[in-house]
Amino acid sequence: MTRILAVANQKGGVGKTTTVINLGASIAVHDKEVLVIDLDPQANATSGLGSEEADVLGIHSFISGENTLEECTVKTEVEGLSLVRGARHLAGTEIELASQDEREYFLAEALSASDLSGYDYVLIDCPPSLGLLTVNALVAADGVILTVQSEYYALEGLSHLMETIRRIKAHWNKKLSIFGVVLTMYDKRLRLSREVEQNADEFLGKTLFRTRIPRNVRLSEAPSFGKPVILYDAFSSGAKSYMSLAREVMGR
Ligand SMILES: Nc1ncnc2c1ncn2[C@@H]1O[C@H](COP(=O)(O)OP(=O)(O)OP(=O)(O)O)[C@@H](O)[C@H]1O
Ligand SMILES: [Mg+2]
């Protein structure tokens, strides 16, 4: 069975794209087939996986139904990791979508019309907003992974996000669940990080992944080489932490 997971948080810069790229790569090296869908007009997952943004045959052609998933998918340097490329003009698509009926279902429909049987996991990278693109991702997904940066106010934004998820579940997608929450940019030497961790633990219980993603410079350098961190520095703490997260995800 293919598991479709959206990686979301309306807050910017909290490690969504880093998680999509590196969790995707770390699952793929366990002999799984993983598809990353770049649903963010910033197209950071696309460049971080070494691809150019797509004029045609990317996310736009896929959700508009012009082309099939197969036509819109490219391979990456990691065996087993494929990508539907993002594009800046997807921001325009979001505006086009806004005036159409059933606008919440475009991605869900495109995916259900596709043959996903070759994939174990589909990971969707969401933009930093709760706009239509993120709603489309949450309507298409079975589960959502929330990335939370270990800093002040992180949990306040989280309750708003969880409320949105509850609404989407009630109106559009009964099968949606919170698959897990991951603490990113964690620094155990900082009291603030430990406080956020403790609050997250109390608030989230088992939803919180045990793996913490540390602040690690290798994770921030790797995208400029168009590589996931396991191909850039497999022995870095960042690479090890995403491997550990991958095992947790596959075990859930
Ligand atoms: N664990 C980490 N350690 C160090 N740097 C990190 C880590 N995670 C992410 N970064 C860096 O922080 C910045 C934001 O991360 P990322 O792009 O993954 O966040 P995002 O939530 O996808 O952002 P946006 O909301 O803009 O899409 C990037 O420069 C990234 O390289
Ligand atoms: Mg991003």
Side-chain angles (χ1 to χ4, degrees):
M1 201 192 76
T2 311
R3 192 159 247 169
I4 305 177
L5 299 172
V7 177
N9 192 329
Q10 77 276 24
K11 212 164 173 327
V14 295
K16 294 180 287 295
T17 302
T18 305
T19 297
V20 166
I21 292 173
N22 292 298
L23 177 61
S26 302
I27 294 176
V29 299
H30 285 85
D31 244 351
K32 303 277 184 209
E33 289 294 325
V34 181
L35 175 67
V36 165
I37 297 181
D38 190 351
L39 199 63
D40 181 358
Q42 299 179 97
N44 294 146
T46 299
S47 56
L49 284 170
S51 282
E52 301 275 318
E53 69 169 286
D55 237 356
V56 289
L57 298 184
I59 185 63
H60 180 274
S61 330
F62 179 56
I63 58 173
S64 64
E66 280 161 45
N67 292 93
T68 64
L69 179 63
E70 205 182 352
E71 289 167 333
C72 296
T73 301
V74 296
K75 298 228 171 293
T76 71
E77 219 182 307
V78 181
E79 200 181 325
L81 183 65
S82 308
L83 169 70
V84 175
R85 292 170 301 158
R88 242 164 299 168
H89 65 245
L90 193 62
T93 308
E94 184 165 27
I95 297 166
E96 285 163 31
L97 280 183
S99 61
Q100 297 187 33
D101 289 343
E102 309 274 288
R103 59 195 176 195
E104 294 84 9
Y105 291 100
F106 278 78
L107 182 61
E109 268 169 19
L111 282 173
S112 63
S114 305
D115 179 12
L116 295 178
S117 61
Y119 295 109
D120 299 292
Y121 290 89
V122 176
L123 300 180
I124 307 170
D125 191 21
C126 294
S129 86
L130 292 175
L132 259 188
L133 289 170
T134 297
V135 170
N136 263 265
L138 297 178
V139 172
D142 316 309
V144 45
I145 292 179
L146 306 176
T147 57
V148 170
Q149 193 180 340
S150 314
E151 52 148 42
Y152 215 60
Y153 296 130
L155 295 176
E156 285 180 21
L158 197 61
S159 36
H160 180 49
L161 182 55
M162 285 178 153
E163 184 48 41
T164 303
I165 291 167
R166 267 191 291 275
R167 275 210 311 276
I168 288 175
K169 190 176 160 77
H171 292 293
W172 293 301
N173 181 8
K174 285 193 176 41
K175 66 181 191 304
L176 185 66
S177 68
I178 296 180
F179 188 77
V181 179
V182 58
L183 282 186
T184 65
M185 299 182 231
Y186 179 78
D187 184 345
K188 63 172 180 289
R189 292 166 306 178
L190 296 181
R191 207 177 70 190
L192 183 58
S193 270
R194 294 198 308 271
E195 272 172 22
V196 172
E197 177 182 39
Q198 202 186 346
N199 288 339
D201 208 24
E202 284 163 14
F203 180 54
L204 297 164
K206 276 203 282 224
T207 321
L208 185 65
F209 287 113
R210 297 333 303 172
T211 303
R212 308 283 178 255
I213 305 299
R215 196 174 271 288
N216 173 233
V217 68
R218 298 312 226 183
L219 284 171
S220 56
E221 289 167 354
S224 57
F225 296 91
K227 290 176 194 294
V229 71
I230 39 167
L231 296 188
Y232 176 63
D233 184 352
F235 297 103
S236 61
S237 62
K240 287 179 191 158
S241 66
Y242 274 108
M243 276 303 218
S244 157
L245 183 63
R247 285 190 291 269
E248 263 195 85
V249 166
M250 291 184 295
R252 274 200 183 183

